[in-house]
Amino acid sequence: MPQAIPIIPGPQVVPSAVCFKCQVCCRFPEQDSFLRPYLTEDEIRQAVTHGIPSSSLPDHRGSQIEVVRHPTDEGFLCPAFDPITQHCHIYEVRPLDCQLYPFALMWNAQHDWVVLGWDTLCPFLLEQADGDRPLTGGAPPTTMLTLPKALMEQAQRVATYLESDNVLNALAGHPRLVTPFQPDVVVLQTLDRLTATLRSSNMRDTR
């Protein structure tokens, strides 16, 4: 049975005051968006205990959450998200998929290496990034956008965490936590141990 995934170490990347004003996280343009959070078996139990309907997670062995239609606007919302207060009902037990953001765990474009990157759709990180010219046509090359030292240090802590033994074992049991390639994500580094683990297990399932 896959192990429970420990909490990511280090500070929250995006300040709460910024999160509460953001119009990006927890919202999805399509009902079947591949970016919907994936929850492991243990995370599903915790989410249901904290009030998420079990019907929102169709496979209790591990599942992407079923989003709901926005009550007053276009698109869809995570059922744990309150669009009025901008708060998450399960924040204290939010799954790894949500803890990671605005960092992203994904396969590269060739689908042969697992990489860690940061999402240029996050307004906070985009403001923090040092770029020579504005974004056009999706994420620019990494040479154009550089995160501040503190954020790069947190990214390294996250990478080390993801390649720790306990987390590797959990990810091997839930390979769908690694998303397909996202063109808006700036790649920071490859995750060699995780790539080797998924290769050896022949686990390259995608969402």
Side-chain angles (χ1 to χ4, degrees), residues 10-30:
Q12 178 173 308
V13 173
V14 182
S16 294
V18 176
C19 282
F20 294 154
K21 298 177 183 178
C22 180
Q23 297 297 312
V24 175
C25 288
C26 313
R27 302 164 178 84
F28 307 90
E30 306 93 13

Side-chain angles (χ1 to χ4, degrees), residues 23-43:
Q23 297 297 312
V24 175
C25 288
C26 313
R27 302 164 178 84
F28 307 90
E30 306 93 13
Q31 190 169 13
D32 62 350
S33 170
F34 78 88
L35 294 175
R36 290 172 296 138
Y38 176 92
L39 281 72
T40 66
E41 182 177 4
D42 183 65
E43 291 170 339

Side-chain angles (χ1 to χ4, degrees), residues 162-188:
L162 290 170
E163 300 220 281
S164 63
D165 290 340
N166 287 344
V167 179
L168 280 177
N169 290 335
L171 291 172
H174 294 279
R176 291 176 65 196
L177 280 166
V178 183
T179 75
F181 176 71
Q182 301 175 48
D184 292 313
V185 171
V186 175
V187 174
L188 293 173

Side-chain angles (χ1 to χ4, degrees), residues 18-186:
V18 176
C19 282
F20 294 154
K21 298 177 183 178
C22 180
Q23 297 297 312
V24 175
C25 288
C26 313
R27 302 164 178 84
F28 307 90
E30 306 93 13
Q31 190 169 13
D32 62 350
S33 170
F34 78 88
L35 294 175
R36 290 172 296 138
Y38 176 92
L39 281 72
T40 66
E41 182 177 4
D42 183 65
E43 291 170 339
I44 288 172
R45 283 197 297 269
Q46 294 189 69
V48 171
T49 298
H50 283 74
I52 300 302
S54 59
S55 59
S56 297
L57 296 149
D59 186 347
H60 287 189
R61 296 168 299 177
S63 175
Q64 281 185 276
I65 201 163
E66 297 287 338
V67 294
V68 298
R69 190 170 294 279
H70 196 299
T72 60
D73 204 347
E74 296 181 354
F76 299 85
L77 301 174
C78 173
F81 179 70
D82 185 333
I84 297 176
T85 65
Q86 298 277 88
H87 286 200
C88 171
H89 296 307
I90 63 168
Y91 183 81
E92 297 303 323
V93 295
R94 66 197 185 283
L96 174 66
D97 219 348
C98 299
Q99 291 180 51
L100 278 172
Y101 196 80
F103 297 121
L105 178 63
M106 66 180 187
W107 289 99
N108 66 358
Q110 295 74 35
H111 201 75
D112 53 9
W113 288 97
V114 179
V115 298
L116 180 69
W118 66 272
D119 190 359
T120 60
L121 296 180
C122 172
F124 175 77
L125 283 196
L126 198 54
E127 287 180 2
Q128 299 296 310
D130 175 20
D132 294 331
R133 54 183 184 271
L135 290 175
T136 56
T142 55
T143 54
M144 288 175 54
L145 287 173
T146 304
L147 294 178
K149 180 181 178 182
L151 291 175
M152 291 298 292
E153 289 174 347
Q154 177 60 9
Q156 184 56 55
R157 283 191 288 268
V158 170
T160 300
Y161 158 89
L162 290 170
E163 300 220 281
S164 63
D165 290 340
N166 287 344
V167 179
L168 280 177
N169 290 335
L171 291 172
H174 294 279
R176 291 176 65 196
L177 280 166
V178 183
T179 75
F181 176 71
Q182 301 175 48
D184 292 313
V185 171
V186 175

